[in-house]
Short mmCIF file of all heavy atoms in Angstrom, two decimals:
data_model
loop_
_atom_site.label_atom_id
_atom_site.label_comp_id
_atom_site.label_asym_id
_atom_site.label_seq_id
_atom_site.Cartn_x
_atom_site.Cartn_y
_atom_site.Cartn_z
N GLY A 153 -3.17 -0.03 -13.49
CA GLY A 153 -2.94 1.39 -13.27
C GLY A 153 -1.65 1.67 -12.54
O GLY A 153 -1.22 2.81 -12.44
N ALA A 154 -1.00 0.60 -12.01
CA ALA A 154 0.31 0.66 -11.38
C ALA A 154 0.49 1.92 -10.52
O ALA A 154 1.21 2.83 -10.88
CB ALA A 154 1.39 0.59 -12.46
N PRO A 155 -0.19 1.96 -9.36
CA PRO A 155 -0.10 3.17 -8.50
C PRO A 155 1.29 3.49 -8.01
O PRO A 155 1.54 4.62 -7.57
CB PRO A 155 -1.07 2.84 -7.34
CG PRO A 155 -1.15 1.34 -7.33
CD PRO A 155 -1.02 0.93 -8.76
N TYR A 156 2.19 2.53 -8.11
CA TYR A 156 3.59 2.73 -7.70
C TYR A 156 4.43 3.31 -8.84
O TYR A 156 5.61 3.63 -8.63
CB TYR A 156 4.20 1.39 -7.27
CG TYR A 156 4.01 0.32 -8.31
CD1 TYR A 156 4.92 0.18 -9.38
CD2 TYR A 156 2.92 -0.54 -8.29
CE1 TYR A 156 4.74 -0.77 -10.35
CE2 TYR A 156 2.72 -1.49 -9.27
CZ TYR A 156 3.64 -1.60 -10.30
OH TYR A 156 3.45 -2.54 -11.27
N PHE A 157 3.87 3.41 -10.02
CA PHE A 157 4.59 3.98 -11.18
C PHE A 157 4.31 5.46 -11.20
O PHE A 157 3.19 5.91 -11.37
CB PHE A 157 4.11 3.30 -12.46
CG PHE A 157 4.71 3.86 -13.72
CD1 PHE A 157 6.06 4.07 -13.85
CD2 PHE A 157 3.87 4.18 -14.79
CE1 PHE A 157 6.61 4.59 -15.01
CE2 PHE A 157 4.40 4.70 -15.96
CZ PHE A 157 5.77 4.91 -16.06
N LEU A 158 5.36 6.26 -11.00
CA LEU A 158 5.20 7.66 -10.66
C LEU A 158 5.86 8.59 -11.69
O LEU A 158 6.78 8.19 -12.39
CB LEU A 158 5.82 7.96 -9.29
CG LEU A 158 5.34 7.05 -8.13
CD1 LEU A 158 6.11 7.39 -6.86
CD2 LEU A 158 3.84 7.13 -7.93
N CYS A 159 5.35 9.80 -11.72
CA CYS A 159 5.78 10.78 -12.72
C CYS A 159 5.95 12.16 -12.07
O CYS A 159 5.18 12.53 -11.17
CB CYS A 159 4.76 10.85 -13.85
SG CYS A 159 5.11 12.12 -15.09
N LYS A 160 6.94 12.89 -12.51
CA LYS A 160 7.05 14.31 -12.17
C LYS A 160 7.51 15.06 -13.40
O LYS A 160 8.54 14.73 -14.02
CB LYS A 160 8.06 14.53 -11.05
CG LYS A 160 8.21 16.02 -10.67
CD LYS A 160 9.19 16.21 -9.56
CE LYS A 160 9.54 17.69 -9.33
NZ LYS A 160 8.38 18.44 -8.77
N GLU A 161 6.75 16.06 -13.81
CA GLU A 161 7.16 16.94 -14.89
C GLU A 161 8.16 17.96 -14.36
O GLU A 161 7.88 18.66 -13.40
CB GLU A 161 5.96 17.66 -15.49
CG GLU A 161 5.00 16.78 -16.27
CD GLU A 161 3.83 17.57 -16.84
OE1 GLU A 161 3.33 18.50 -16.13
OE2 GLU A 161 3.43 17.30 -17.96
N LEU A 162 9.32 18.01 -14.97
CA LEU A 162 10.28 19.06 -14.64
C LEU A 162 9.99 20.34 -15.44
O LEU A 162 10.41 21.41 -15.06
CB LEU A 162 11.72 18.58 -14.92
CG LEU A 162 12.18 17.36 -14.13
CD1 LEU A 162 13.58 16.96 -14.54
CD2 LEU A 162 12.11 17.63 -12.62
N GLU A 163 9.27 20.16 -16.54
CA GLU A 163 8.73 21.30 -17.30
C GLU A 163 7.22 21.13 -17.29
O GLU A 163 6.68 20.21 -17.90
CB GLU A 163 9.26 21.28 -18.74
CG GLU A 163 8.72 22.39 -19.61
CD GLU A 163 9.23 22.33 -21.03
OE1 GLU A 163 10.44 22.53 -21.23
OE2 GLU A 163 8.42 22.04 -21.92
N GLN A 164 6.55 22.03 -16.59
CA GLN A 164 5.10 21.90 -16.44
C GLN A 164 4.40 21.87 -17.78
O GLN A 164 4.66 22.69 -18.64
CB GLN A 164 4.58 23.03 -15.58
CG GLN A 164 3.11 22.82 -15.16
CD GLN A 164 2.66 23.86 -14.14
OE1 GLN A 164 3.42 24.76 -13.76
NE2 GLN A 164 1.44 23.75 -13.70
N GLY A 165 3.52 20.88 -17.94
CA GLY A 165 2.77 20.75 -19.17
C GLY A 165 3.47 19.94 -20.26
O GLY A 165 2.92 19.77 -21.35
N PHE A 166 4.68 19.42 -19.95
CA PHE A 166 5.44 18.70 -20.97
C PHE A 166 4.66 17.51 -21.55
O PHE A 166 4.76 17.21 -22.73
CB PHE A 166 6.75 18.19 -20.37
CG PHE A 166 7.58 17.34 -21.29
CD1 PHE A 166 8.23 17.92 -22.38
CD2 PHE A 166 7.71 15.98 -21.07
CE1 PHE A 166 9.00 17.14 -23.24
CE2 PHE A 166 8.47 15.20 -21.93
CZ PHE A 166 9.12 15.78 -23.02
N LEU A 167 3.88 16.87 -20.71
CA LEU A 167 3.13 15.67 -21.16
C LEU A 167 1.73 15.98 -21.66
O LEU A 167 0.98 15.06 -22.00
CB LEU A 167 3.05 14.63 -20.02
CG LEU A 167 4.40 14.01 -19.62
CD1 LEU A 167 4.22 13.10 -18.42
CD2 LEU A 167 5.02 13.23 -20.77
N ASN A 168 1.37 17.25 -21.76
CA ASN A 168 0.07 17.59 -22.28
C ASN A 168 -0.13 17.02 -23.70
O ASN A 168 0.71 17.21 -24.57
CB ASN A 168 -0.11 19.12 -22.33
CG ASN A 168 -0.29 19.72 -20.96
OD1 ASN A 168 -0.37 19.01 -19.96
ND2 ASN A 168 -0.34 21.04 -20.90
N GLY A 169 -1.23 16.29 -23.87
CA GLY A 169 -1.52 15.71 -25.19
C GLY A 169 -0.77 14.45 -25.51
O GLY A 169 -0.90 13.91 -26.63
N ILE A 170 0.04 13.94 -24.57
CA ILE A 170 0.82 12.74 -24.79
C ILE A 170 0.21 11.57 -24.00
O ILE A 170 -0.12 11.72 -22.82
CB ILE A 170 2.29 12.94 -24.37
CG1 ILE A 170 2.97 13.98 -25.27
CG2 ILE A 170 3.07 11.62 -24.40
CD1 ILE A 170 4.37 14.36 -24.83
N SER A 171 0.06 10.45 -24.64
CA SER A 171 -0.27 9.21 -23.95
C SER A 171 0.67 8.14 -24.49
O SER A 171 1.15 8.22 -25.63
CB SER A 171 -1.73 8.81 -24.17
OG SER A 171 -1.96 8.54 -25.55
N GLY A 172 0.96 7.15 -23.66
CA GLY A 172 1.88 6.13 -24.13
C GLY A 172 2.26 5.17 -23.02
O GLY A 172 1.64 5.11 -21.96
N SER A 173 3.33 4.40 -23.28
CA SER A 173 3.76 3.34 -22.40
C SER A 173 5.24 3.52 -22.08
O SER A 173 6.01 4.00 -22.90
CB SER A 173 3.53 1.99 -23.09
OG SER A 173 3.96 0.92 -22.29
N TYR A 174 5.60 3.09 -20.88
CA TYR A 174 6.98 3.20 -20.42
C TYR A 174 7.49 1.86 -19.93
O TYR A 174 6.76 1.16 -19.21
CB TYR A 174 7.08 4.22 -19.28
CG TYR A 174 8.47 4.35 -18.69
CD1 TYR A 174 9.41 5.19 -19.24
CD2 TYR A 174 8.83 3.62 -17.57
CE1 TYR A 174 10.67 5.33 -18.71
CE2 TYR A 174 10.09 3.75 -16.99
CZ TYR A 174 11.01 4.60 -17.58
OH TYR A 174 12.28 4.71 -17.05
N LYS A 175 8.70 1.53 -20.32
CA LYS A 175 9.32 0.29 -19.88
C LYS A 175 10.64 0.63 -19.20
O LYS A 175 11.39 1.50 -19.67
CB LYS A 175 9.58 -0.65 -21.08
CG LYS A 175 9.96 -2.07 -20.70
CD LYS A 175 9.93 -2.98 -21.92
CE LYS A 175 10.27 -4.40 -21.55
NZ LYS A 175 9.29 -4.99 -20.60
N ASP A 176 10.95 -0.03 -18.09
CA ASP A 176 12.22 0.20 -17.40
C ASP A 176 13.39 -0.06 -18.35
O ASP A 176 13.38 -1.05 -19.09
CB ASP A 176 12.37 -0.72 -16.19
CG ASP A 176 11.34 -0.40 -15.13
OD1 ASP A 176 11.17 0.79 -14.81
OD2 ASP A 176 10.72 -1.34 -14.59
N PRO A 177 14.43 0.79 -18.33
CA PRO A 177 15.59 0.56 -19.18
C PRO A 177 16.24 -0.80 -18.90
O PRO A 177 16.27 -1.29 -17.77
CB PRO A 177 16.52 1.71 -18.79
CG PRO A 177 15.64 2.77 -18.25
CD PRO A 177 14.53 2.04 -17.57
N GLU A 178 16.79 -1.41 -19.95
CA GLU A 178 17.40 -2.73 -19.83
C GLU A 178 18.54 -2.74 -18.83
O GLU A 178 18.82 -3.77 -18.21
CB GLU A 178 17.89 -3.19 -21.21
CG GLU A 178 16.78 -3.55 -22.19
CD GLU A 178 15.91 -4.70 -21.70
OE1 GLU A 178 16.49 -5.73 -21.28
OE2 GLU A 178 14.69 -4.53 -21.68
N GLY A 179 19.20 -1.59 -18.64
CA GLY A 179 20.33 -1.55 -17.72
C GLY A 179 19.99 -1.90 -16.29
O GLY A 179 20.88 -2.30 -15.52
N TYR A 180 18.72 -1.82 -15.93
CA TYR A 180 18.32 -2.12 -14.58
C TYR A 180 18.20 -3.62 -14.33
O TYR A 180 17.95 -4.04 -13.19
CB TYR A 180 17.00 -1.42 -14.24
CG TYR A 180 17.19 0.04 -13.95
CD1 TYR A 180 16.90 1.01 -14.89
CD2 TYR A 180 17.70 0.45 -12.70
CE1 TYR A 180 17.10 2.37 -14.62
CE2 TYR A 180 17.92 1.80 -12.45
CZ TYR A 180 17.61 2.75 -13.40
OH TYR A 180 17.84 4.09 -13.13
N PHE A 181 18.39 -4.43 -15.34
CA PHE A 181 18.28 -5.89 -15.19
C PHE A 181 19.62 -6.57 -15.33
O PHE A 181 19.70 -7.73 -15.74
CB PHE A 181 17.28 -6.42 -16.20
CG PHE A 181 15.93 -5.76 -16.10
CD1 PHE A 181 15.56 -4.76 -16.98
CD2 PHE A 181 15.05 -6.10 -15.09
CE1 PHE A 181 14.33 -4.12 -16.87
CE2 PHE A 181 13.81 -5.48 -14.97
CZ PHE A 181 13.44 -4.49 -15.88
N ALA A 182 20.70 -5.86 -15.01
CA ALA A 182 22.07 -6.39 -15.22
C ALA A 182 22.31 -7.71 -14.48
O ALA A 182 22.89 -8.62 -15.04
CB ALA A 182 23.07 -5.34 -14.75
N ALA A 183 21.83 -7.81 -13.26
CA ALA A 183 22.08 -9.03 -12.47
C ALA A 183 21.30 -10.22 -13.02
O ALA A 183 21.82 -11.35 -13.05
CB ALA A 183 21.74 -8.81 -11.00
N GLN A 184 20.06 -9.98 -13.45
CA GLN A 184 19.27 -11.07 -14.02
C GLN A 184 19.86 -11.55 -15.35
O GLN A 184 19.82 -12.74 -15.65
CB GLN A 184 17.82 -10.64 -14.23
CG GLN A 184 17.07 -10.35 -12.92
CD GLN A 184 17.05 -8.89 -12.56
OE1 GLN A 184 18.11 -8.24 -12.62
NE2 GLN A 184 15.90 -8.37 -12.23
N LYS A 185 20.40 -10.62 -16.12
CA LYS A 185 20.95 -10.96 -17.43
C LYS A 185 22.29 -11.70 -17.35
O LYS A 185 22.62 -12.48 -18.23
CB LYS A 185 21.12 -9.69 -18.28
CG LYS A 185 19.80 -9.10 -18.74
CD LYS A 185 20.05 -7.93 -19.68
CE LYS A 185 18.76 -7.48 -20.31
NZ LYS A 185 18.99 -6.42 -21.30
N ASN A 186 23.05 -11.42 -16.31
CA ASN A 186 24.36 -12.03 -16.17
C ASN A 186 24.61 -12.42 -14.72
O ASN A 186 25.46 -11.82 -14.05
CB ASN A 186 25.43 -11.08 -16.68
CG ASN A 186 26.74 -11.78 -17.00
OD1 ASN A 186 27.00 -12.88 -16.49
ND2 ASN A 186 27.57 -11.15 -17.81
N PRO A 187 23.90 -13.44 -14.25
CA PRO A 187 24.04 -13.82 -12.82
C PRO A 187 25.44 -14.26 -12.45
O PRO A 187 25.86 -14.04 -11.31
CB PRO A 187 23.00 -14.95 -12.66
CG PRO A 187 22.69 -15.42 -14.05
CD PRO A 187 22.89 -14.25 -14.94
N ALA A 188 26.15 -14.89 -13.37
CA ALA A 188 27.52 -15.34 -13.04
C ALA A 188 28.44 -14.16 -12.80
O ALA A 188 29.25 -14.16 -11.86
CB ALA A 188 28.08 -16.19 -14.18
N ALA A 189 28.31 -13.13 -13.61
CA ALA A 189 29.12 -11.91 -13.43
C ALA A 189 28.74 -11.23 -12.10
O ALA A 189 29.63 -10.73 -11.38
CB ALA A 189 28.92 -10.96 -14.58
N PHE A 190 27.46 -11.26 -11.78
CA PHE A 190 27.03 -10.65 -10.53
C PHE A 190 27.62 -11.41 -9.34
O PHE A 190 28.13 -10.79 -8.39
CB PHE A 190 25.50 -10.62 -10.42
CG PHE A 190 25.00 -10.20 -9.08
CD1 PHE A 190 25.33 -8.98 -8.53
CD2 PHE A 190 24.19 -11.06 -8.34
CE1 PHE A 190 24.88 -8.60 -7.27
CE2 PHE A 190 23.74 -10.68 -7.09
CZ PHE A 190 24.08 -9.47 -6.55
N GLU A 191 27.58 -12.72 -9.37
CA GLU A 191 28.13 -13.50 -8.26
C GLU A 191 29.61 -13.26 -8.10
O GLU A 191 30.13 -13.18 -6.98
CB GLU A 191 27.82 -15.00 -8.48
CG GLU A 191 26.35 -15.37 -8.34
CD GLU A 191 25.78 -15.01 -6.98
OE1 GLU A 191 26.51 -15.21 -5.97
OE2 GLU A 191 24.64 -14.53 -6.91
N GLU A 192 30.34 -13.14 -9.21
CA GLU A 192 31.79 -12.90 -9.13
C GLU A 192 32.02 -11.49 -8.55
O GLU A 192 32.93 -11.30 -7.73
CB GLU A 192 32.38 -13.01 -10.51
CG GLU A 192 33.90 -12.94 -10.53
CD GLU A 192 34.58 -14.05 -9.77
OE1 GLU A 192 34.03 -15.16 -9.65
OE2 GLU A 192 35.69 -13.78 -9.22
N TYR A 193 31.30 -10.53 -9.01
CA TYR A 193 31.39 -9.14 -8.53
C TYR A 193 31.15 -9.08 -7.02
O TYR A 193 31.85 -8.36 -6.29
CB TYR A 193 30.41 -8.28 -9.32
CG TYR A 193 30.10 -6.94 -8.71
CD1 TYR A 193 30.97 -5.88 -8.89
CD2 TYR A 193 28.92 -6.73 -8.00
CE1 TYR A 193 30.66 -4.60 -8.34
CE2 TYR A 193 28.63 -5.49 -7.46
CZ TYR A 193 29.50 -4.44 -7.65
OH TYR A 193 29.21 -3.21 -7.10
N GLU A 194 30.16 -9.80 -6.56
CA GLU A 194 29.73 -9.74 -5.16
C GLU A 194 30.83 -10.22 -4.21
O GLU A 194 30.86 -9.83 -3.03
CB GLU A 194 28.46 -10.58 -5.00
CG GLU A 194 27.89 -10.66 -3.62
CD GLU A 194 27.29 -9.35 -3.11
OE1 GLU A 194 27.22 -8.37 -3.92
OE2 GLU A 194 26.94 -9.29 -1.94
N LYS A 195 31.78 -11.01 -4.71
CA LYS A 195 32.81 -11.59 -3.83
C LYS A 195 33.73 -10.56 -3.22
O LYS A 195 34.41 -10.83 -2.23
CB LYS A 195 33.64 -12.61 -4.64
CG LYS A 195 32.89 -13.87 -5.01
CD LYS A 195 33.75 -14.78 -5.84
CE LYS A 195 32.97 -16.02 -6.29
NZ LYS A 195 33.81 -16.88 -7.17
N GLN A 196 33.80 -9.36 -3.81
CA GLN A 196 34.72 -8.36 -3.29
C GLN A 196 34.19 -7.62 -2.06
O GLN A 196 34.93 -6.85 -1.42
CB GLN A 196 35.05 -7.32 -4.39
CG GLN A 196 33.84 -6.47 -4.81
CD GLN A 196 34.16 -5.59 -6.00
OE1 GLN A 196 35.09 -4.82 -5.99
NE2 GLN A 196 33.36 -5.75 -7.06
N PHE A 197 32.93 -7.84 -1.72
CA PHE A 197 32.32 -7.15 -0.60
C PHE A 197 32.32 -8.00 0.65
O PHE A 197 32.37 -9.23 0.57
CB PHE A 197 30.89 -6.76 -0.95
CG PHE A 197 30.79 -5.75 -2.06
CD1 PHE A 197 30.60 -6.16 -3.38
CD2 PHE A 197 30.93 -4.40 -1.81
CE1 PHE A 197 30.52 -5.25 -4.41
CE2 PHE A 197 30.86 -3.45 -2.82
CZ PHE A 197 30.67 -3.90 -4.14
N PRO A 198 32.20 -7.39 1.84
CA PRO A 198 32.09 -8.18 3.09
C PRO A 198 30.87 -9.09 3.04
O PRO A 198 29.84 -8.72 2.48
CB PRO A 198 31.95 -7.11 4.17
CG PRO A 198 32.46 -5.83 3.56
CD PRO A 198 32.20 -5.94 2.08
N GLN A 199 31.01 -10.24 3.63
CA GLN A 199 29.88 -11.17 3.65
C GLN A 199 28.76 -10.62 4.54
O GLN A 199 29.02 -10.05 5.59
CB GLN A 199 30.32 -12.55 4.20
CG GLN A 199 31.01 -13.41 3.15
CD GLN A 199 30.94 -14.88 3.54
OE1 GLN A 199 31.06 -15.22 4.71
NE2 GLN A 199 30.80 -15.74 2.56
N LYS A 200 27.53 -10.75 4.07
CA LYS A 200 26.36 -10.33 4.82
C LYS A 200 25.32 -11.43 4.68
O LYS A 200 25.23 -12.08 3.64
CB LYS A 200 25.79 -9.01 4.29
CG LYS A 200 26.72 -7.81 4.55
CD LYS A 200 26.21 -6.55 3.85
CE LYS A 200 24.94 -6.03 4.45
NZ LYS A 200 25.15 -5.44 5.80
N GLU A 201 24.50 -11.59 5.69
CA GLU A 201 23.47 -12.65 5.66
C GLU A 201 22.24 -12.19 4.89
O GLU A 201 21.71 -11.09 5.10
CB GLU A 201 23.06 -13.01 7.10
CG GLU A 201 22.11 -14.18 7.17
CD GLU A 201 21.75 -14.56 8.59
OE1 GLU A 201 22.16 -13.85 9.52
OE2 GLU A 201 21.06 -15.59 8.77
N LYS A 202 21.83 -13.03 3.96
CA LYS A 202 20.61 -12.77 3.22
C LYS A 202 19.43 -13.28 4.02
O LYS A 202 19.40 -14.45 4.40
CB LYS A 202 20.63 -13.46 1.84
CG LYS A 202 21.71 -12.92 0.92
CD LYS A 202 21.67 -13.64 -0.42
CE LYS A 202 22.73 -13.10 -1.37
NZ LYS A 202 22.67 -13.80 -2.70
N LEU A 203 18.45 -12.42 4.25
CA LEU A 203 17.31 -12.79 5.09
C LEU A 203 16.01 -12.56 4.34
O LEU A 203 15.87 -11.59 3.59
CB LEU A 203 17.29 -11.93 6.37
CG LEU A 203 18.49 -12.10 7.30
CD1 LEU A 203 18.39 -11.11 8.43
CD2 LEU A 203 18.59 -13.51 7.83
N ARG A 204 15.06 -13.46 4.57
CA ARG A 204 13.68 -13.27 4.06
C ARG A 204 12.93 -12.51 5.16
O ARG A 204 12.72 -13.01 6.25
CB ARG A 204 13.05 -14.62 3.78
CG ARG A 204 11.55 -14.56 3.46
CD ARG A 204 11.28 -13.76 2.20
NE ARG A 204 11.78 -14.39 0.99
CZ ARG A 204 11.79 -13.80 -0.18
NH1 ARG A 204 11.34 -12.58 -0.30
NH2 ARG A 204 12.28 -14.43 -1.25
N LEU A 205 12.52 -11.26 4.83
CA LEU A 205 11.90 -10.39 5.83
C LEU A 205 10.51 -9.96 5.37
O LEU A 205 10.24 -9.90 4.17
CB LEU A 205 12.78 -9.18 6.06
CG LEU A 205 14.21 -9.43 6.56
CD1 LEU A 205 15.00 -8.13 6.65
CD2 LEU A 205 14.16 -10.11 7.94
N PRO A 206 9.62 -9.62 6.31
CA PRO A 206 8.31 -9.09 5.96
C PRO A 206 8.47 -7.82 5.13
O PRO A 206 9.35 -7.00 5.39
CB PRO A 206 7.66 -8.81 7.31
CG PRO A 206 8.41 -9.63 8.30
CD PRO A 206 9.80 -9.73 7.78
N GLY A 207 7.60 -7.66 4.14
CA GLY A 207 7.58 -6.44 3.36
C GLY A 207 8.41 -6.52 2.07
O GLY A 207 8.31 -5.66 1.20
N GLN A 208 9.26 -7.56 1.97
CA GLN A 208 10.03 -7.72 0.72
C GLN A 208 9.06 -8.05 -0.42
O GLN A 208 8.03 -8.69 -0.22
CB GLN A 208 11.07 -8.82 0.88
CG GLN A 208 12.19 -8.45 1.84
CD GLN A 208 13.15 -9.61 2.09
OE1 GLN A 208 12.83 -10.76 1.83
NE2 GLN A 208 14.33 -9.29 2.60
#
Side-chain angles (χ1 to χ4, degrees):
Y156 53 84
F157 176 49
L158 307 178
C159 176
K160 179 179 171 70
E161 290 181 321
L162 299 178
E163 179 182 292
Q164 190 171 2
F166 176 71
L167 293 175
N168 287 356
I170 294 173
S171 63
S173 179
Y174 177 85
K175 192 170 182 63
D176 294 314
E178 290 298 311
Y180 283 101
F181 304 101
Q184 293 96 313
K185 289 185 170 185
N186 199 338
F190 171 59
E191 290 302 320
E192 187 62 29
Y193 164 80
E194 180 68 7
K195 291 177 183 177
Q196 66 187 304
F197 295 95
Q199 279 202 324
K200 293 172 69 70
E201 186 177 6
K202 295 181 179 181
L203 298 174
R204 172 63 67 189
L205 300 175
Q208 292 174 342

